[in-house]
Amino acid sequence: MDKLSSLGAAVQAAVASQDAKDLATEYAEVGLDTFLDAGIARDIPLVGTLVGLAKIGMTVHDRLFAKKILDLLTGLADLAVEERQELIARLEGDPKYGRKVGEHLVDLIDRIESHRKPAMVARVFKAYLRGEVDADMLHRLCGAVERVPGYEIPRLRPFCEAAPQERDAPIVTLQSFQAAGLLNAASGWGALVYEPNEVTAA
């Protein structure tokens, strides 16, 4: 089994584990450095495997990756263990999803920024569990989370919630949202008009 598969299996097991809620609480209470340096994570079943496989503490990248995984688990910790297990089972059985859950999460978490985005990914997966989005939309939303610049995120909701004639944002912001798949652009009134699309509505 290669490293991605091994790490993916460990992340998937951690998401579905009874220990996820305790892990999130411990991490929130002591912070990343104490959590990793004191070896607390290694004492939690399955998470110790995750820590070892990621070689946490070796590089800045590894520590950031660890923080993002822990933030993702924290975002899912309010779900009961049965709900998290149901989430994984439904995804694994959904032909439109077409991925191994753990490997997908590792791949996605590795590419996104650490600030606020892991929590956004958690909300996307919870929306799938609640039946608010299907697997196609889950992929679109995860792609949007990955591509939208983190510093632009606070501008998205005010833009989408404003009346069409009152929507205003710098053109570079609108182009960033369009590139992330969150806005559609159409010609109107002699210029491009940017409008929220079905991904934003989800």
Side-chain angles (χ1 to χ4, degrees):
M1 185 181 289
D2 61 24
K3 183 175 179 179
L4 175 60
S5 297
S6 298
L7 190 51
V11 170
Q12 182 168 318
V15 169
S17 171
Q18 184 70 47
D19 300 308
K21 193 165 292 188
D22 292 338
L23 165 67
T25 301
E26 190 78 49
Y27 167 56
E29 287 177 354
V30 303
L32 180 68
D33 288 338
T34 302
F35 190 88
L36 299 178
D37 294 341
I40 295 171
R42 291 168 174 80
D43 296 330
I44 300 174
L46 301 173
V47 178
T49 302
L50 171 61
V51 171
L53 287 168
K55 297 181 181 177
I56 290 169
M58 295 292 289
T59 67
V60 171
H61 174 268
D62 291 331
R63 293 183 76 82
L64 288 173
F65 178 78
K67 181 182 186 305
K68 290 186 285 186
I69 288 291
L70 291 167
D71 286 341
L72 171 71
L73 293 175
T74 299
L76 295 171
D78 61 329
L79 296 176
V81 63
E82 295 82 8
E83 291 177 303
R84 284 182 269 115
Q85 291 168 353
E86 178 189 351
L87 170 62
I88 290 172
R90 283 178 53 190
L91 286 166
E92 295 269 320
D94 190 334
K96 289 186 177 180
Y97 181 69
R99 300 286 302 270
K100 291 185 177 179
V101 177
E103 290 184 16
H104 180 209
L105 288 173
V106 168
D107 189 34
L108 178 61
I109 291 297
D110 191 44
R111 293 195 308 266
I112 64 174
E113 301 161 65
S114 59
H115 181 61
R116 99 170 61 215
K117 287 191 175 184
M120 294 171 69
V121 171
R123 287 198 294 273
V124 170
F125 277 83
K126 287 193 282 191
Y128 175 86
L129 175 65
R130 293 191 296 264
E132 296 169 0
V133 301
D134 62 12
D136 286 336
M137 184 57 72
L138 181 144
H139 283 304
R140 292 190 186 100
L141 287 167
C142 287
V145 170
E146 178 187 348
R147 292 188 302 270
V148 68
Y151 58 85
E152 297 283 21
I153 292 171
R155 293 180 167 141
L156 180 62
R157 186 181 294 276
F159 177 84
C160 293
E161 291 182 349
Q165 65 274 17
E166 296 176 358
R167 289 183 183 136
D168 185 39
I171 187 65
V172 291
T173 297
L174 298 175
Q175 290 171 340
S176 294
F177 291 154
Q178 183 191 19
L182 294 167
L183 299 181
N184 292 336
S187 296
W189 301 291
L192 280 178
V193 176
Y194 292 87
E195 298 178 340
N197 61 23
E198 68 277 8
V199 179
T200 311

